[in-house]
């Protein structure tokens, strides 16, 4: 099972106009098991990048076909993107996936959300993919 958490500071970044999900570049990065989840104080990629996995075939993946849609029927806003794939990762333990905006500088690239796989995963020279749920990467619902 995978647990998903939105970073609290992402809401602050949205209010401060630091995030334009559809227009700006966004990435997903993979973290190892040395990471300590802190959804209240982590705000930028630089807050989590020290735990980014190290693998010769690894690189951050851009989020493709980003979209946002509001449904008046469900009173919800959905931020969505395509599924993500890494090929031939070797010898790394993956525990988290972090979704973030990419300004080109980690210290000002706002975090969006984090997935906790609840256990280490080692792809052993296989592909590693993240499947975005049908309800989107992030869904916010009004009461």
């Amino acid at each position: 099972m995978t647990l998903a958490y939105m970073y609290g500071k992402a809401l602050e970044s949205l209010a401060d106009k630091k995030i334009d999900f559809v227009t700006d570049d966004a990435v997903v990065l993979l973290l190892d098991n040395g990471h300590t989840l802190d959804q209240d104080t982590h705000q930028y990629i630089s807050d989590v990048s020290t735990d980014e996995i190290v693998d010769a075939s690894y690189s951050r993946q851009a989020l493709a076909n980003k979209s946002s849609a509001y449904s008046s029927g469900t009173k919800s806003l959905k931020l969505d993107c395509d599924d993500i794939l890494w090929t031939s990762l070797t010898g790394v333990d993956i525990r988290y996936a972090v979704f973030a905006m990419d300004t080109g500088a980690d210290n000002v690239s706002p975090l969006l959300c984090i997935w906790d796989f609840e256990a280490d995963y080692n792809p052993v020279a296989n592909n590693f993919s993240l499947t975005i749920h049908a309800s989107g990467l992030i869904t916010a619902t009004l009461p």
Side-chain angles (χ1 to χ4, degrees):
M1 185 170 149
T2 300
L3 301 175
Y5 303 94
M6 186 169 177
Y7 285 103
K9 293 285 189 173
L11 297 173
E12 185 176 290
S13 293
L14 281 166
D16 291 343
K17 299 180 184 176
K18 295 178 183 175
I19 294 176
D20 184 337
F21 181 75
V22 175
T23 304
D24 295 343
D25 292 334
V27 295
V28 60
L29 52 151
L30 301 175
L31 305 183
D32 61 28
N33 59 9
H35 181 67
T36 301
L37 176 68
D38 188 343
Q39 70 184 114
D40 294 322
T41 61
H42 289 165
Q43 185 170 11
Y44 299 108
I45 290 178
S46 59
D47 294 325
V48 301
S49 60
T50 56
D51 298 315
E52 193 166 7
I53 66 166
V54 177
D55 183 282
S57 62
Y58 167 79
S59 63
R60 295 174 183 175
Q61 296 294 308
L63 301 185
N65 296 314
K66 299 184 312 294
S67 64
S68 66
Y70 178 74
S71 167
S72 59
T74 60
K75 295 185 179 182
S76 62
L77 174 70
K78 175 170 90 170
L79 302 182
D80 203 5
C81 63
D82 287 349
D83 297 343
I84 301 105
L85 173 69
W86 286 266
T87 57
S88 301
L89 293 178
T90 58
V92 294
D93 287 328
I94 301 164
R95 176 63 187 266
Y96 302 95
V98 173
F99 297 82
M101 303 311 295
D102 185 6
T103 66
D106 286 358
N107 65 328
V108 290
S109 292
L111 301 173
L112 296 170
C113 61
I114 184 169
W115 290 4
D116 180 350
F117 304 122
E118 295 191 284
D120 293 348
Y121 179 77
N122 189 316
V124 190
N126 290 309
N127 294 341
F128 182 73
S129 62
L130 301 176
T131 302
I132 306 301
H133 192 274
S135 65
L137 175 62
I138 296 173
T139 301
T141 304
L142 298 174

